[in-house]
Amino acid sequence: MMVLTSLFAKYRDKERRLEMIHKKKFLSGLVALAAVFFIALPVSAHVTVNPSQSTTEAWETYQVRIPVEKDVDTTKVTIKIPENVEYKMYEPVAGWKTTTTTDDNDKVVTITWEAESEETAIKAGQYREFTFRAQNPKEAGDIEWDAFQYYADGSIVEWTGDSDSELPHSITSIAKSNVSVDSHGHSHGTDEATDDDTTDDHHATDEDTEHSHEGTNVNTILSIIAIVLSVVAIVLTFIRKK
């Protein structure tokens, strides 16, 4: 009888040890899952200026997308206009006041959208888009959009870093175009250029905007896939150890 009791006690001890190991592995898996989730989530949460690609001297319509990453309302947003970009006009947004600042040469250097009331502020889990029109520089290259996001609690997030930083600014790549544009937005092609070329440029700009939105969707899908794979790996590990 004593032998049976001893064997049973050893068996129970082994079961408890195995149960503790399984719990530790399960908790470790949950931590890993949380890490994957919080690393993947910010991919689509940056302030962005679209399109991400355009052409020299084009009169471009830019869209500024402002997501709210905190549990606090966003009440104001300021975009710094690059030195070689000529700001033209903005699209009014109901419930938001739009203002600009200029330098000594009357060139617009910043544009700011500010909520006129608490009700029109951007809430947690929401985003809003603001639109303005500007003329691209004459030279090809990248233009950088520094952005400043103001929250209701007084905090400010400065989206002014490089592409690999924690708070990157948005970038638009400007490619050389064979179509010149005057100050009134009228296109003038070269000897080889035709009206079809101008039309293609406009289509390319629209496609760039679509690709930019598609890029955000792809990032979100990849984040979800990463989370699902992590859950599957955790479940398989737990089952194998049983």
Side-chain angles (χ1 to χ4, degrees), residues 19-31:
E19 185 178 355
M20 289 297 295
I21 291 173
H22 290 160
K23 285 182 178 179
K24 288 180 180 179
K25 288 183 177 294
F26 181 72
L27 290 175
S28 298
L30 287 180
V31 172

Side-chain angles (χ1 to χ4, degrees), residues 33-57:
L33 175 60
V36 170
F37 179 77
F38 285 109
I39 288 173
L41 184 61
V43 169
S44 59
H46 296 159
V47 170
T48 55
V49 179
N50 293 313
S52 60
Q53 297 180 4
S54 189
T55 55
T56 53
E57 298 188 88

Side-chain angles (χ1 to χ4, degrees), residues 25-111:
K25 288 183 177 294
F26 181 72
L27 290 175
S28 298
L30 287 180
V31 172
L33 175 60
V36 170
F37 179 77
F38 285 109
I39 288 173
L41 184 61
V43 169
S44 59
H46 296 159
V47 170
T48 55
V49 179
N50 293 313
S52 60
Q53 297 180 4
S54 189
T55 55
T56 53
E57 298 188 88
W59 283 52
E60 189 65 80
T61 299
Y62 285 102
Q63 290 184 325
V64 184
R65 176 174 292 186
I66 310 295
V68 177
E69 293 184 312
K70 301 183 179 182
D71 292 328
V72 185
D73 296 353
T74 288
T75 57
K76 185 170 72 170
V77 176
T78 295
I79 296 293
K80 185 177 179 181
I81 306 297
E83 291 183 4
N84 53 355
V85 173
E86 193 71 29
Y87 166 86
K88 296 297 181 181
M89 63 190 74
Y90 69 90
E91 181 179 17
V93 177
W96 286 74
K97 178 177 67 175
T98 307
T99 57
T100 59
T101 61
T102 58
D103 59 15
D104 295 337
N105 298 319
D106 288 332
K107 179 187 182 299
V108 173
V109 292
T110 67
I111 178 170

Side-chain angles (χ1 to χ4, degrees), residues 137-152:
K138 296 180 179 180
E139 301 297 328
D142 291 343
I143 53 177
E144 301 168 345
W145 305 96
D146 286 344
F148 303 86
Q149 185 173 7
Y150 296 76
Y151 285 90

Side-chain angles (χ1 to χ4, degrees), residues 43-44 209-222:
V43 169
S44 59
T209 303
E210 293 175 2
H211 291 330
S212 179
H213 291 310
E214 289 173 0
T216 300
N217 293 334
V218 170
N219 286 333
T220 302
I221 293 171
L222 290 176

